[in-house]
Amino acid sequence: MNMDAFSLKNKIAWVTGGSYGIGFAIAEALASAGATIVFNDIRQELVEKGLAAYAEKGIAARGYVCDVTDENAVQALVAKVQKEVGVIDILVNNAGIIKRIPMTEMSAEDFRKVVDVDLNAPFICAKAVIPAMIEKGHGKIINICSMMSELGRETVSAYAAAKGGLKMLTRNICSEYGEYNIQCNGIGPGYIETPQTAPLRERQPDGSRHPFDQFIVAKTPAARWGTTDDLQGPAVFLASDASNFVNGHVLYVDGGILAYIGKQP
Ligand code: NAP
Ligand code: GCO
């Protein structure tokens, strides 16, 4: 097998919400495989922070301020990137939020906000890049799903509904655009150490580990939280020609959580 299949040389990758966290790690990996990195974030200071972080890694990324829930802003961003950098070959729908509120206490407005960022925005961004991918004859879309694409848990109703929908949007983009050599797959990270999960790992006042931290470690065959590094290889695979016959799939990078009933107490 020719390992060049994993190369992303001459490819342009757009990672939404890529200033830090999982998006940044995935962008770093795609850059290591040769891709030119474009990222956006919702605030200028975050874009600046991201640019500095990429520069520290020797990556000449392009950063733009854009709220991925704003279709006009996304369309304008894609046109600007196309003019300044080139046609986007790889889209990573990474930007996401979570609100942990018991469902009966969650406002409809909060529910809508989570669905807007975690499901509507991936639709908006994919819709914006697909026409040029069709014209170019290829494209890769990677949707960052979640354990909650498969499982529910208390307080994350909006997030689980959105991430479950994102799994089906992934399958539908595959179904509708596979004939144009566009592969749309998901990555389903397990529990990963990022700012988004920091509240679930906070040390207790007595110095003990957070109960949820202990729960997740017990639920994970790997007996640890994931790190953003764990997602880098899977992302390069799904962004590269090595996965040209993989479509509509969600690759769970979860240390085995989904396979495991859990350790007997
Ligand atoms: P994070 O640390 O909260 O980072 C999310 C990024 O998305 C931030 O840069 C955030 O910018 C940006 N963002 C949020 N709303 C946006 C919008 N409307 N427009 C543009 N950018 C926006 O999250 P993470 O842990 O890295 O997670 C990244 C993705 O992986 C999310 O989709 C998350 O659901 C998913 N995921 C995470 C885990 C985990 O355990 N961490 C596991 C499975 C899936 P701001 O800082 O300005 O909000
Ligand atoms: C939570 C966590 C999870 C992770 C991730 C798991 O509150 O349960 O935030 O939702 O973010 O999505 O795959």
Side-chain angles (χ1 to χ4, degrees), residues 138-219:
H138 67 250
K140 296 281 186 180
I141 297 172
I142 300 172
N143 292 324
I144 307 301
C145 296
S146 160
M147 295 286 93
M148 275 61 220
S149 297
E150 302 293 342
L151 303 169
R153 89 171 182 85
E154 299 79 6
T155 76
V156 295
S157 59
Y159 185 83
K163 292 296 187 179
L166 186 55
K167 175 177 74 172
M168 286 315 301
L169 178 63
T170 300
R171 290 179 178 170
N172 215 75
I173 293 171
C174 151
S175 307
E176 203 163 354
Y177 297 101
E179 67 179 283
Y180 301 103
N181 192 26
I182 291 172
Q183 291 84 47
C184 180
N185 290 287
I187 288 178
Y191 280 82
I192 311 293
E193 293 174 346
T194 73
Q196 190 248 51
T197 55
L200 305 174
R201 292 177 280 109
E202 271 166 8
R203 283 279 167 184
Q204 303 300 285
D206 65 2
S208 63
R209 284 163 50 203
H210 192 296
F212 195 86
D213 174 3
Q214 298 178 57
F215 165 67
I216 286 300
V217 170
K219 272 290 279 180

Side-chain angles (χ1 to χ4, degrees), residues 80-101:
K80 189 175 171 73
V81 169
Q82 202 154 306
K83 193 165 159 232
E84 294 179 358
V85 191
V87 170
I88 292 165
D89 301 287
I90 301 158
L91 165 65
V92 180
N93 275 314
N94 165 78
I97 62 171
I98 191 166
K99 290 184 185 298
R100 300 184 182 95
I101 306 167

